[in-house]
Amino acid sequence: MDCHIYLTDILFMISFSNAVNIFCTGTVTTTGSCHDTMESQAVIVYKEFDEMSLFHKPIRNIKMKKDLSVSIKQEWQSLGVAGVVWDAAIVLAAYIIDHPSIVGGKSVLELGSGTGMVAIVASRFAARVTATDRSLAIPLIQENIRLNNDIPITHGSLSADLLVWGKKLDNNIVQYDVILGADIIYIEDTFNDLLDTLKAMSSLETVVYLSCKLRYDKDLRFIQTLEAFFQVKQVHQDFERDIIIYRAMLPSNNVT
């Protein structure tokens, strides 16, 4: 059993409890039910407490590398964890800027886009980017796309679309060259649906990049489960923010 709970995870629970009008001392599922999994766990207060002030900023102006800046509207009160910029998104966006060829001229899908920040940065280099999330988050993504219209889009389009993991995966699924995900591994009840979605939306040429803060043993177990279906490699680690980026590919993919 996982033996610690981070303050960030308390924020996750509080934000979801606001959405379903309950306060849960364990894991809140995607249906709003509560599983109590916090027995004998201790609270560890660490530097992410400082993020609270950033979450309450209505607009975050984030200066990236190579003179690229993004302005991201946040909606902590109405959307909770989906409505703010997390470190994993900043680290993945910076990684894309440092390695533009990973999305350059390609079709890109972002899962669990939240504010849309990663998709917006990827659109600077990609041919086509689709930012996806549940229906409640789509208006925020669309608004952030409009806020950043001045970012030059070299090749193609940037749009937001509804995608519920694990649903309608057999209905003419569009497969992408690149799939991105930032801090989407934290609710265990969604892991099977996330894995099914990754498998369905990946072709033999698709490359997946997951930017993760692994807070619990269960999060690492998802990566281990992913390894049963994909070739998984750690390609980057931000020690200051405690973020790891994994690259995953179906076994016959020959990317080095």
Side-chain angles (χ1 to χ4, degrees), residues 22-226:
I22 63 169
F23 183 81
C24 177
T25 59
T27 300
V28 180
T29 72
T30 54
T31 61
S33 61
C34 174
H35 296 296
D36 190 359
T37 58
M38 293 174 56
E39 299 173 359
S40 304
Q41 293 184 334
V43 174
I44 299 177
V45 179
Y46 71 127
K47 66 180 181 179
E48 282 194 339
F49 183 79
D50 296 336
E51 287 183 337
M52 276 300 295
S53 61
L54 296 175
F55 293 158
H56 288 278
K57 286 179 176 287
I59 300 286
R60 281 190 69 178
N61 297 306
I62 303 171
K63 184 172 177 58
M64 305 299 298
K65 300 179 179 181
K66 300 182 181 178
D67 297 324
L68 180 61
S69 297
V70 292
S71 297
I72 302 295
K73 180 180 179 181
Q74 300 189 124
E75 294 186 359
W76 170 259
Q77 293 298 328
S78 59
L79 294 179
V81 297
V84 296
V85 177
W86 292 89
D87 279 351
I90 295 174
V91 172
L92 182 54
Y95 184 79
I96 291 170
I97 293 170
D98 284 341
H99 305 85
S101 64
I102 67 175
V103 297
K106 298 176 182 177
S107 63
V108 178
L109 173 74
E110 185 185 8
L111 298 177
S113 188
T115 64
M117 177 192 166
V118 173
I120 289 166
V121 171
S123 73
R124 172 63 179 85
F125 312 101
R128 174 169 59 92
V129 180
T130 305
T132 65
D133 212 312
R134 289 179 172 268
S135 57
L136 285 176
I138 299 301
L140 178 60
I141 299 171
Q142 292 171 330
E143 186 161 357
N144 280 324
I145 290 173
R146 290 191 292 270
L147 277 176
N148 292 276
N149 279 337
D150 58 335
I151 292 181
I153 300 177
T154 305
H155 298 286
S157 64
L158 170 60
S159 61
D161 201 1
L162 170 68
L163 177 61
V164 180
W165 301 345
K167 305 299 182 184
K168 300 181 179 179
L169 295 181
D170 297 326
N171 297 343
N172 299 317
I173 286 295
V174 176
Q175 295 177 322
Y176 290 78
D177 299 323
V178 179
I179 299 176
L180 305 174
D183 219 347
I184 60 175
I185 303 171
Y186 60 90
I187 302 178
E188 191 167 16
D189 285 351
T190 68
F191 287 178
N192 287 337
D193 288 339
L194 174 56
L195 181 60
D196 288 344
T197 300
L198 288 171
K199 290 189 293 183
M201 306 197 82
S202 295
S203 70
L204 295 179
E205 287 73 41
T206 300
V207 184
V208 180
Y209 292 91
L210 298 176
S211 181
C212 311
K213 182 185 286 288
L214 302 179
R215 300 174 178 88
Y216 287 143
D217 289 344
K218 61 181 174 59
D219 304 336
L220 181 58
R221 286 197 296 270
F222 175 83
I223 299 297
Q224 294 168 341
T225 301
L226 188 67

